Amino acid sequence: MSTENEGTEVPPAPSAPPVPVDTPAASAPDAPAPAAPPMSAGQSGAAAPAAASGEQAAGQAPAAAQSPAAPAPSAPAPSAPDPYAHTAAHVGAGQTTAGQVPAGHASSGHAPAGSGSGAWPPPPPPAVPTYAQGGGSGSGWGASWTAEQPAAPKPGGRRGGLVAAVIAAALVAGGVGGGLGFWAADRSEDSGTDSTTVSASDSPADLKREPGSVAAIANKALPSVVTIEAQSGSGEGGTGTGFVYDKQGHIMTNNHVVASAAQGGKLSATFSNGKKYDAEVVGRAEGYDVAVIKLKSKPANLNPIALADSDKVAVGDSTIAIGAPFGLSNTVTTGIVSAKNRPVTSSDGGSSKSSYMSALQTDASINPGNSGGPLLDARGAVIGINSAIKPADSGGLGGGAQSGSIGLGFAIPVNQAKNVAQQLIKTGEATYPVIGASVSLGEASNGATISDRAAGGSGAAVEPGGPAAKAGLKSGDVIKKLDDMVIDSGPTLIGQIWTHKPGDTVKITYERDGKERTADVTLGARKGDS
């Protein structure tokens, strides 16, 4: 999206200044009429008075030559403000001439207003353009109009001159009234005294950007969030998000964000200031959908984001998500924790293996490209890694393949992600806790049923000598609870088991032959994603 800056063209300076219309011909030598100044777009109104004045002056030359000088009045005429100077200056600045009574009279053939040699009061001075230069004496731009006028003619005895003076006085009075009206209206608009708009204060206190506000949290966290570009050896790839995990240059993100670049591809991380750094994969856990990458050359001011205790999160807590939805880097959205321990199975479609999580659910807007970004609490600490969304059934934006947020986003709890990240940094692979039994992964609502056969269709569903076998579990048993968490399906059971560590003891409630039983199971370990 781009914008075009449309400037306003500056009009060229006129070739010569305007001259007074009614300069008495008897006191000044004849001179050719000056050329009208050139006009640019938006200034057609400025030329009309000048053209009319030129026509009037040309038509009055013979009358001035035939009539003797008019007698001067016995007392000076009362001075009146010049209505033309302000009005014409606005016209010269690109205003229209609507409502300018003096200009209208001048162009309507009212020659008596300025005709007759030595008429009193003298005709109004020409307007000085707003772009006029100078301002002293002489005939240059901005020179005084009265300084250029010849001396008033001596008194005479012709009655026609008095009549002309009376008519001129009436017209000038009318012009003063119209000019003053226009001037007053213009001043009212410029001064804004009648405006009802209210200006907001720009002080930080009024803007309420104190610590804890969304603006303050975003301002602090954004420099530690990166946009990740991953590209496979064949050139395919995508965009995701990550955040600074430690001062050594480790970045935490989702596995599905960097999977395409894991085998000989290219990785880069771009910070909010636009600086881009090459990176490499340190380790990734497909089942957890967690990965750690490292900057090959880290900046000196690397600042990790604080990690919260996700076990203490409560439904209704405020959340802030930062990421690059659809490639729009440094996007900040807000919401709340909508639910906890939400069983989620996700896959990016490029692998036969899925990831399982007991997720934090949020209504903060999360879209493709937010994956791997931080989900923050009201203090700005990380409570989860944004990983998955529930898309609308109607399809993607504008009928496309990718769906957008409908307010159902899911994040990996940071306690689990931190545990996995530490393993990846230390050994390059993660260890999964297991019960040593295969369960059905189909949708169910009454529990997780232990299968008849192991995953892949061969071997026993319950591993001989494994944790489940030691606890007395058998094929066909339906697991209903793990500790206090209700289990409604196989994926839910896996997600809950993976919130623990190998060696932890959990209480399993199961049903066999219509009877409910319990068993304590000490979790075993499986290394890697194989």
Side-chain angles (χ1 to χ4, degrees):
M1 181 172 60
S2 62
T3 58
E4 294 181 356
N5 209 2
E6 296 185 33
T8 302
E9 181 182 0
V10 178
S15 58
V19 297
V21 174
D22 294 325
T23 302
S27 300
D30 293 337
M39 296 185 296
S40 61
Q43 288 191 308
S44 59
S53 297
E55 292 173 3
Q56 182 181 1
Q60 289 173 346
Q66 295 173 6
S67 300
S74 59
S79 60
D82 177 10
Y84 300 96
H86 182 83
T87 303
H90 281 273
V91 174
Q95 303 293 330
T96 63
T97 58
Q100 297 182 5
V101 177
H105 281 294
S107 61
S108 301
H110 292 272
S115 62
S117 173
W120 185 268
V128 178
T130 55
Y131 42 77
Q133 304 296 324
S137 61
S139 59
W141 289 107
S144 170
W145 177 81
T146 57
E148 294 185 331
Q149 302 309 307
K154 295 186 177 182
R158 297 276 317 253
R159 186 171 182 275
L162 180 60
V163 174
V166 172
I167 296 175
L171 292 177
V172 168
V176 168
L180 285 177
F182 180 85
W183 178 82
D186 184 73
R187 281 295 298 269
S188 176
E189 292 177 1
D190 291 344
S191 64
T193 55
D194 295 333
S195 174
T196 59
T197 60
V198 179
S199 297
S201 171
D202 291 333
S203 65
D206 292 335
L207 293 173
K208 299 187 182 300
R209 290 178 183 158
E210 65 272 6
S213 67
V214 174
I217 292 172
N219 184 62
K220 182 179 180 180
L222 276 169
S224 300
V225 179
V226 299
T227 299
I228 297 174
E229 295 180 16
Q231 190 177 60
S232 66
S234 62
E236 297 180 355
T239 300
T241 308
F243 60 93
V244 178
Y245 177 71
D246 59 25
K247 289 184 176 293
Q248 285 67 49
H250 291 108
I251 306 293
M252 186 182 291
T253 186
N254 283 142
N255 169 70
H256 73 262
V257 170
V258 302
S260 60
Q263 305 296 331
K266 295 181 180 179
L267 271 179
S268 66
T270 303
F271 285 80
S272 60
N273 61 6
K275 293 185 178 180
K276 190 174 185 177
Y277 298 86
D278 291 333
E280 59 186 355
V281 176
V282 172
R284 55 195 188 97
E286 191 171 3
Y288 290 120
D289 197 18
V290 173
V292 175
I293 66 175
K294 187 176 183 180
L295 303 177
K296 293 182 179 180
S297 177
K298 66 183 182 68
N301 58 343
L302 208 57
N303 189 26
I305 303 182
L307 306 181
D309 183 353
S310 55
D311 290 340
K312 295 182 179 180
V313 171
V315 173
D317 283 352
S318 297
T319 59
I320 301 172
I322 303 179
F326 296 101
L328 301 174
S329 302
N330 310 316
T331 296
V332 178
T333 56
T334 63
I336 62 169
V337 175
S338 305
K340 294 177 60 177
N341 302 311
R342 185 71 75 191
V344 174
T345 304
S346 65
S347 175
D348 61 359
S351 172
S352 59
K353 295 183 179 180
S354 297
S355 60
Y356 303 93
M357 68 186 86
S358 182
L360 296 174
Q361 181 181 323
T362 181
D363 65 346
S365 182
I366 297 174
N367 290 285
N370 274 104
S371 292
L375 184 67
L376 308 175
D377 62 13
R379 302 168 299 167
V382 181
I383 58 174
I385 302 178
N386 299 319
S387 183
I389 62 172
K390 171 64 176 176
D393 294 335
S394 58
L397 297 176
Q402 285 186 313
S403 296
S405 172
I406 59 171
L408 295 174
F410 305 98
I412 303 166
V414 74
N415 287 6
Q416 179 180 357
K418 178 182 177 180
N419 177 52
V420 175
Q422 290 173 341
Q423 297 178 47
L424 295 176
I425 292 172
K426 185 176 181 179
T427 67
E429 59 182 352
T431 299
Y432 297 87
V434 295
I435 63 171
S438 296
V439 295
S440 173
L441 298 179
E443 292 186 4
S445 60
N446 59 347
T449 303
I450 299 178
S451 304
D452 294 335
R453 295 183 178 276
S458 60
V462 178
E463 179 185 339
K470 291 180 180 179
L473 295 175
K474 299 179 179 180
S475 294
D477 289 346
V478 180
I479 298 175
K480 298 284 191 177
K481 286 184 180 181
L482 190 149
D483 292 331
D484 293 330
M485 295 300 302
V486 175
I487 304 300
D488 60 2
S489 66
T492 302
L493 176 64
I494 296 173
Q496 284 298 320
I497 291 173
W498 285 359
T499 63
H500 296 272
K501 298 178 182 179
D504 288 349
T505 298
V506 296
K507 182 179 182 180
I508 290 181
T509 301
Y510 65 97
E511 184 179 289
R512 180 189 296 171
D513 299 330
K515 295 181 179 180
E516 191 172 276
R517 310 183 184 197
T518 61
D520 291 334
V521 178
T522 301
L523 300 177
R526 188 196 79 201
K527 201 166 186 67
D529 288 304
S530 57

